[in-house]
Amino acid sequence: MTDSILEFIKTFFMLFFELLALFIVVSFIVSFIQQVISEEKIKKILSRPNKAVNYLLGTLFGALTPFCSCSTIPILAGLLNSKVPFGPSMSFLIASPLMNPVMVFMLWSLLGWKIALVYFIVLIIFSILTGLIFSKLNFAETYKGVTVKGDGFFSNKQGSKVKQALNDAWAFLYPMLPYLFIGVFIGAFIYGFVPAEFITKYASGDGVFSAMIASVIGIPMYIRPETMLPIADALVSKGMSMGTVIALVIGGAGASIPEVVMLSKLFKKKFLVAFISTILIVAIATGLIVNLII
Protein backbone atom coordinates (compact mmCIF):
# COMPACT_ATOMS: atom_id res chain seq x y z
CA MET A 1 0.00 0.00 0.00
CA THR A 2 2.84 2.37 0.85
CA ASP A 3 4.46 1.71 -2.52
CA SER A 4 1.18 2.53 -4.28
CA ILE A 5 0.85 5.82 -2.40
CA LEU A 6 4.42 6.80 -3.22
CA GLU A 7 3.88 5.88 -6.88
CA PHE A 8 0.72 8.00 -6.91
CA ILE A 9 2.47 11.06 -5.44
CA LYS A 10 5.49 10.71 -7.72
CA THR A 11 3.38 10.27 -10.85
CA PHE A 12 1.06 13.14 -9.94
CA PHE A 13 3.79 15.74 -9.52
CA MET A 14 5.79 14.56 -12.55
CA LEU A 15 2.76 14.64 -14.85
CA PHE A 16 1.29 17.85 -13.48
CA PHE A 17 4.41 19.99 -13.79
CA GLU A 18 5.40 18.45 -17.13
CA LEU A 19 2.00 19.22 -18.65
CA LEU A 20 1.84 22.62 -16.95
CA ALA A 21 5.12 23.68 -18.56
CA LEU A 22 4.06 22.24 -21.91
CA PHE A 23 0.72 24.04 -21.80
CA ILE A 24 2.33 27.41 -21.02
CA VAL A 25 5.02 27.14 -23.70
CA VAL A 26 2.67 25.97 -26.46
CA SER A 27 0.00 28.53 -25.52
CA PHE A 28 2.61 31.30 -25.67
CA ILE A 29 3.74 30.23 -29.15
CA VAL A 30 0.18 29.88 -30.44
CA SER A 31 -0.81 33.31 -29.08
CA PHE A 32 2.22 34.87 -30.74
CA ILE A 33 1.21 33.35 -34.09
CA GLN A 34 -2.43 34.32 -33.67
CA GLN A 35 -1.51 37.97 -33.19
CA VAL A 36 -0.35 37.91 -36.80
CA ILE A 37 -3.35 35.94 -38.12
CA SER A 38 -6.44 38.12 -37.85
CA GLU A 39 -9.98 36.95 -38.54
CA GLU A 40 -10.01 39.19 -41.64
CA LYS A 41 -6.90 37.45 -42.99
CA ILE A 42 -8.54 34.07 -42.50
CA LYS A 43 -11.63 35.23 -44.38
CA LYS A 44 -9.53 36.64 -47.22
CA ILE A 45 -7.34 33.57 -47.62
CA LEU A 46 -10.22 31.07 -47.46
CA SER A 47 -12.08 33.01 -50.15
CA ARG A 48 -9.32 32.66 -52.75
CA PRO A 49 -10.12 31.09 -56.14
CA ASN A 50 -8.09 27.92 -55.50
CA LYS A 51 -10.83 25.91 -53.83
CA ALA A 52 -8.79 22.71 -53.35
CA VAL A 53 -6.11 24.50 -51.32
CA ASN A 54 -8.78 26.31 -49.29
CA TYR A 55 -9.87 23.05 -47.65
CA LEU A 56 -6.32 22.41 -46.44
CA LEU A 57 -5.97 26.01 -45.27
CA GLY A 58 -9.30 25.82 -43.44
CA THR A 59 -8.03 22.74 -41.63
CA LEU A 60 -4.70 24.35 -40.72
CA PHE A 61 -6.37 27.55 -39.51
CA GLY A 62 -8.67 25.39 -37.40
CA ALA A 63 -5.64 23.79 -35.81
CA LEU A 64 -4.37 27.22 -34.74
CA THR A 65 -7.57 28.51 -33.17
CA PRO A 66 -8.46 28.55 -29.45
CA PHE A 67 -9.11 25.44 -27.48
CA CYS A 68 -12.86 25.45 -26.93
CA SER A 69 -16.19 25.98 -28.68
CA CYS A 70 -16.72 29.38 -27.00
CA SER A 71 -14.31 30.80 -29.60
CA THR A 72 -14.54 28.31 -32.46
CA ILE A 73 -18.29 28.62 -33.08
CA PRO A 74 -18.41 32.46 -33.14
CA ILE A 75 -15.45 32.49 -35.54
CA LEU A 76 -17.27 29.95 -37.74
CA ALA A 77 -20.37 32.17 -37.75
CA GLY A 78 -18.22 35.15 -38.73
CA LEU A 79 -16.69 33.20 -41.62
CA LEU A 80 -20.06 32.07 -42.96
CA ASN A 81 -21.65 35.50 -42.57
CA SER A 82 -18.74 36.94 -44.56
CA LYS A 83 -19.54 34.52 -47.42
CA VAL A 84 -16.40 32.41 -46.92
CA PRO A 85 -16.95 29.14 -48.86
CA PHE A 86 -18.93 26.62 -46.82
CA GLY A 87 -16.65 23.61 -47.38
CA PRO A 88 -13.41 25.12 -46.04
CA SER A 89 -15.40 26.55 -43.13
CA MET A 90 -16.52 23.01 -42.25
CA SER A 91 -12.92 21.79 -42.39
CA PHE A 92 -12.15 24.59 -39.94
CA LEU A 93 -15.01 23.43 -37.68
CA ILE A 94 -13.81 19.82 -37.52
CA ALA A 95 -10.13 20.66 -37.06
CA SER A 96 -10.47 23.38 -34.44
CA PRO A 97 -11.36 21.33 -31.34
CA LEU A 98 -9.46 18.20 -32.39
CA MET A 99 -6.13 19.53 -33.67
CA ASN A 100 -5.26 22.46 -31.44
CA PRO A 101 -1.52 22.57 -30.65
CA VAL A 102 -1.89 21.88 -26.92
CA MET A 103 -3.83 18.70 -27.62
CA VAL A 104 -1.34 17.48 -30.24
CA PHE A 105 1.70 18.24 -28.07
CA MET A 106 0.08 16.60 -25.05
CA LEU A 107 -0.46 13.51 -27.17
CA TRP A 108 3.18 13.67 -28.20
CA SER A 109 4.39 14.08 -24.62
CA LEU A 110 2.17 11.39 -23.08
CA LEU A 111 1.65 8.78 -25.80
CA GLY A 112 4.64 9.32 -28.08
CA TRP A 113 5.43 11.09 -31.35
CA LYS A 114 4.14 8.23 -33.51
CA ILE A 115 0.66 8.47 -32.01
CA ALA A 116 0.66 12.27 -32.34
CA LEU A 117 1.84 12.11 -35.96
CA VAL A 118 -0.71 9.46 -37.00
CA TYR A 119 -3.44 11.37 -35.17
CA PHE A 120 -2.52 14.67 -36.85
CA ILE A 121 -2.31 13.23 -40.37
CA VAL A 122 -5.55 11.25 -40.07
CA LEU A 123 -7.42 14.28 -38.68
CA ILE A 124 -6.13 16.50 -41.53
CA ILE A 125 -7.50 14.01 -44.05
CA PHE A 126 -10.85 13.67 -42.28
CA SER A 127 -11.23 17.44 -41.86
CA ILE A 128 -10.68 18.03 -45.58
CA LEU A 129 -13.02 15.17 -46.57
CA THR A 130 -15.74 16.42 -44.22
CA GLY A 131 -15.55 19.88 -45.76
CA LEU A 132 -15.81 18.42 -49.26
CA ILE A 133 -18.71 16.09 -48.41
CA PHE A 134 -20.72 18.68 -46.47
CA SER A 135 -20.28 21.09 -49.38
CA LYS A 136 -21.41 18.51 -51.95
CA LEU A 137 -24.46 17.62 -49.82
CA ASN A 138 -25.50 21.31 -49.83
CA PHE A 139 -25.51 21.57 -46.05
CA ALA A 140 -24.92 25.29 -46.56
CA GLU A 141 -28.70 25.49 -46.90
CA THR A 142 -29.07 24.45 -43.26
CA TYR A 143 -27.26 27.56 -42.00
CA LYS A 144 -29.64 29.98 -40.28
CA GLY A 145 -27.47 33.07 -40.86
CA VAL A 146 -27.27 34.17 -37.24
CA THR A 147 -24.35 35.28 -35.09
CA VAL A 148 -23.04 33.87 -31.84
CA LYS A 149 -21.25 36.05 -29.32
CA GLY A 150 -17.68 34.94 -28.67
CA ASP A 151 -15.00 35.74 -26.14
CA GLY A 152 -13.23 38.43 -28.15
CA PHE A 153 -10.39 36.20 -29.23
CA PHE A 154 -9.61 38.26 -32.33
CA SER A 155 -10.18 41.61 -30.64
CA ASN A 156 -7.55 44.30 -31.09
CA LYS A 157 -4.62 43.82 -28.75
CA GLN A 158 -2.29 46.58 -27.71
CA GLY A 159 1.31 46.59 -26.50
CA SER A 160 4.21 44.20 -26.87
CA LYS A 161 3.49 40.94 -28.69
CA VAL A 162 5.63 39.04 -26.18
CA LYS A 163 3.78 40.56 -23.23
CA GLN A 164 0.44 39.86 -24.88
CA ALA A 165 1.47 36.27 -25.60
CA LEU A 166 2.39 35.81 -21.93
CA ASN A 167 -0.96 37.26 -20.87
CA ASP A 168 -2.78 35.00 -23.31
CA ALA A 169 -0.84 31.95 -22.12
CA TRP A 170 -2.00 32.63 -18.58
CA ALA A 171 -5.55 33.39 -19.78
CA PHE A 172 -5.64 30.02 -21.57
CA LEU A 173 -4.09 28.17 -18.64
CA TYR A 174 -6.09 29.60 -15.73
CA PRO A 175 -9.52 28.14 -16.67
CA MET A 176 -7.86 24.85 -17.69
CA LEU A 177 -6.06 24.28 -14.36
CA PRO A 178 -8.97 22.47 -12.67
CA TYR A 179 -9.36 20.14 -15.66
CA LEU A 180 -5.63 19.50 -15.79
CA PHE A 181 -5.52 18.86 -12.04
CA ILE A 182 -8.44 16.41 -12.18
CA GLY A 183 -7.01 14.57 -15.18
CA VAL A 184 -3.56 14.20 -13.63
CA PHE A 185 -5.07 13.14 -10.29
CA ILE A 186 -7.18 10.40 -11.90
CA GLY A 187 -4.28 9.33 -14.12
CA ALA A 188 -1.90 9.12 -11.15
CA PHE A 189 -4.54 7.16 -9.21
CA ILE A 190 -4.83 4.64 -12.05
CA TYR A 191 -1.03 4.36 -12.20
CA GLY A 192 -0.76 3.73 -8.48
CA PHE A 193 -3.85 1.77 -7.49
CA VAL A 194 -5.69 0.17 -10.45
CA PRO A 195 -4.35 -3.31 -11.28
CA ALA A 196 -3.29 -3.82 -14.88
CA GLU A 197 -5.30 -7.04 -14.95
CA PHE A 198 -8.53 -5.09 -14.39
CA ILE A 199 -7.96 -2.82 -17.40
CA THR A 200 -6.80 -5.70 -19.58
CA LYS A 201 -9.88 -7.76 -18.69
CA TYR A 202 -12.56 -5.13 -19.25
CA ALA A 203 -11.16 -2.53 -21.66
CA SER A 204 -8.38 -3.96 -23.79
CA GLY A 205 -10.34 -4.62 -26.98
CA ASP A 206 -8.97 -3.15 -30.20
CA GLY A 207 -11.81 -3.89 -32.62
CA VAL A 208 -14.61 -1.84 -34.18
CA PHE A 209 -16.98 -2.46 -31.26
CA SER A 210 -14.54 -1.13 -28.64
CA ALA A 211 -13.79 1.99 -30.66
CA MET A 212 -17.49 2.56 -31.32
CA ILE A 213 -18.46 2.26 -27.64
CA ALA A 214 -15.60 4.57 -26.58
CA SER A 215 -16.55 7.26 -29.13
CA VAL A 216 -20.23 7.16 -28.13
CA ILE A 217 -19.35 7.38 -24.42
CA GLY A 218 -17.03 10.33 -25.05
CA ILE A 219 -19.73 12.73 -26.31
CA PRO A 220 -22.02 12.92 -23.24
CA MET A 221 -19.05 12.68 -20.87
CA TYR A 222 -17.54 15.91 -22.26
CA ILE A 223 -14.14 15.18 -20.77
CA ARG A 224 -11.85 17.95 -21.95
CA PRO A 225 -8.60 16.82 -23.63
CA GLU A 226 -6.63 18.46 -20.80
CA THR A 227 -8.41 16.08 -18.43
CA MET A 228 -8.66 13.02 -20.63
CA LEU A 229 -5.12 12.76 -21.98
CA PRO A 230 -3.39 12.18 -18.61
CA ILE A 231 -6.06 9.55 -17.91
CA ALA A 232 -5.50 8.07 -21.37
CA ASP A 233 -1.78 7.76 -20.69
CA ALA A 234 -2.51 5.82 -17.51
CA LEU A 235 -5.10 3.58 -19.18
CA VAL A 236 -2.72 2.72 -22.02
CA SER A 237 0.06 1.90 -19.53
CA LYS A 238 -2.33 -0.53 -17.83
CA GLY A 239 -3.24 -2.32 -21.06
CA MET A 240 -6.10 -0.42 -22.73
CA SER A 241 -5.95 -0.32 -26.51
CA MET A 242 -4.38 2.89 -27.81
CA GLY A 243 -7.02 3.24 -30.51
CA THR A 244 -9.87 2.84 -28.02
CA VAL A 245 -8.46 5.69 -25.95
CA ILE A 246 -8.07 7.90 -29.04
CA ALA A 247 -11.70 7.19 -30.02
CA LEU A 248 -12.82 8.27 -26.54
CA VAL A 249 -10.81 11.49 -26.74
CA ILE A 250 -12.12 12.41 -30.21
CA GLY A 251 -15.73 11.69 -29.22
CA GLY A 252 -15.49 13.97 -26.19
CA ALA A 253 -13.50 16.79 -27.79
CA GLY A 254 -15.05 16.73 -31.26
CA ALA A 255 -18.76 16.84 -30.42
CA SER A 256 -19.03 18.05 -26.86
CA ILE A 257 -22.46 19.01 -25.53
CA PRO A 258 -21.61 22.77 -25.30
CA GLU A 259 -20.42 22.76 -28.92
CA VAL A 260 -23.53 20.97 -30.19
CA VAL A 261 -25.76 23.41 -28.28
CA MET A 262 -23.98 26.38 -29.86
CA LEU A 263 -24.14 24.79 -33.30
CA SER A 264 -27.91 24.33 -32.86
CA LYS A 265 -28.18 28.13 -32.86
CA LEU A 266 -26.48 28.27 -36.25
CA PHE A 267 -27.79 25.22 -38.09
CA LYS A 268 -30.91 23.12 -38.56
CA LYS A 269 -31.29 19.63 -37.07
CA LYS A 270 -30.26 17.96 -40.32
CA PHE A 271 -26.79 19.48 -40.01
CA LEU A 272 -26.46 18.58 -36.32
CA VAL A 273 -27.25 14.92 -37.03
CA ALA A 274 -24.69 14.86 -39.84
CA PHE A 275 -22.08 16.62 -37.68
CA ILE A 276 -22.43 14.25 -34.71
CA SER A 277 -22.44 11.22 -37.04
CA THR A 278 -19.28 12.51 -38.71
CA ILE A 279 -17.47 12.90 -35.39
CA LEU A 280 -18.44 9.34 -34.41
CA ILE A 281 -17.15 8.02 -37.75
CA VAL A 282 -13.93 10.01 -37.38
CA ALA A 283 -13.45 8.75 -33.81
CA ILE A 284 -14.02 5.10 -34.72
CA ALA A 285 -11.93 5.23 -37.89
CA THR A 286 -9.04 7.05 -36.23
CA GLY A 287 -9.05 4.58 -33.35
CA LEU A 288 -8.92 1.64 -35.76
CA ILE A 289 -6.17 3.25 -37.83
CA VAL A 290 -4.10 3.90 -34.70
CA ASN A 291 -4.49 0.26 -33.62
CA LEU A 292 -3.58 -0.91 -37.13
CA ILE A 293 -0.47 1.25 -37.54
CA ILE A 294 0.96 1.40 -34.01
Side-chain angles (χ1 to χ4, degrees):
M1 186 65 177
T2 303
D3 290 341
S4 296
I5 294 174
L6 290 174
E7 181 67 21
F8 166 80
I9 294 172
K10 176 184 176 184
T11 303
F12 176 84
F13 282 105
M14 285 181 61
L15 269 178
F16 185 78
F17 287 109
E18 176 186 348
L19 294 179
L20 190 66
L22 178 65
F23 199 105
I24 292 172
V25 171
V26 176
S27 297
F28 175 85
I29 295 172
V30 171
S31 173
F32 202 84
I33 294 173
Q34 288 169 341
Q35 290 180 61
V36 181
I37 304 174
S38 67
E39 189 171 1
E40 290 304 318
K41 287 184 180 179
I42 294 178
K43 294 174 183 177
K44 183 177 180 180
I45 292 174
L46 293 184
S47 300
R48 294 189 311 176
N50 193 332
K51 295 181 179 180
V53 175
N54 288 351
Y55 286 93
L56 176 60
L57 291 174
T59 299
L60 296 179
F61 279 134
L64 289 175
T65 53
F67 315 135
C68 64
S69 54
C70 61
S71 293
T72 298
I73 304 304
I75 294 172
L76 173 67
L79 294 176
L80 294 176
N81 289 339
S82 299
K83 307 302 180 184
V84 170
F86 187 80
S89 298
M90 292 301 99
S91 296
F92 171 91
L93 173 65
I94 298 296
S96 184
L98 294 175
M99 294 174 61
N100 72 71
V102 169
M103 186 169 179
V104 173
F105 277 95
M106 283 179 72
L107 276 172
W108 188 317
S109 175
L110 294 174
L111 302 180
W113 68 268
K114 290 182 180 179
I115 294 294
L117 182 62
V118 171
Y119 176 91
F120 190 79
I121 292 174
V122 170
L123 262 296
I124 285 179
I125 294 171
F126 272 117
S127 296
I128 293 173
L129 287 177
T130 299
L132 286 166
I133 293 171
F134 276 28
S135 179
K136 293 295 183 182
L137 292 176
N138 292 322
F139 279 145
E141 297 176 356
T142 66
Y143 180 56
K144 298 177 182 178
V146 298
T147 59
V148 177
K149 185 178 180 180
D151 59 1
F153 174 76
F154 279 111
S155 58
N156 293 328
K157 299 177 179 181
Q158 306 295 327
S160 166
K161 285 185 171 58
V162 173
K163 183 179 180 181
Q164 185 60 57
L166 287 171
N167 291 336
D168 285 346
W170 170 248
F172 290 148
L173 173 64
Y174 182 73
M176 297 301 163
L177 275 175
Y179 301 104
L180 189 62
F181 182 91
I182 292 170
V184 172
F185 183 90
I186 296 174
F189 182 85
I190 294 172
Y191 270 115
F193 295 101
V194 178
E197 295 78 13
F198 178 85
I199 301 294
T200 303
K201 182 178 180 180
Y202 293 103
S204 60
D206 58 1
V208 176
F209 185 74
S210 296
M212 182 173 64
I213 294 299
S215 60
V216 171
I217 289 173
I219 292 176
M221 284 177 67
Y222 183 44
I223 298 179
R224 296 186 68 99
E226 295 82 7
T227 301
M228 186 58 214
L229 289 175
I231 300 173
D233 181 37
L235 292 173
V236 169
S237 74
K238 293 291 185 175
M240 180 177 278
S241 160
M242 190 82 73
T244 302
V245 170
I246 293 297
L248 179 64
V249 171
I250 292 176
S256 65
I257 292 175
E259 183 176 12
V260 173
V261 170
M262 294 183 77
L263 283 173
S264 69
K265 298 179 181 180
L266 299 181
F267 297 95
K268 298 177 183 177
K269 290 183 180 179
K270 178 181 177 182
F271 176 89
L272 296 178
V273 172
F275 174 76
I276 295 172
S277 300
T278 298
I279 294 299
L280 290 175
I281 292 171
V282 171
I284 295 168
T286 306
L288 293 175
I289 291 170
V290 166
N291 280 335
L292 183 66
I293 295 178
I294 304 300

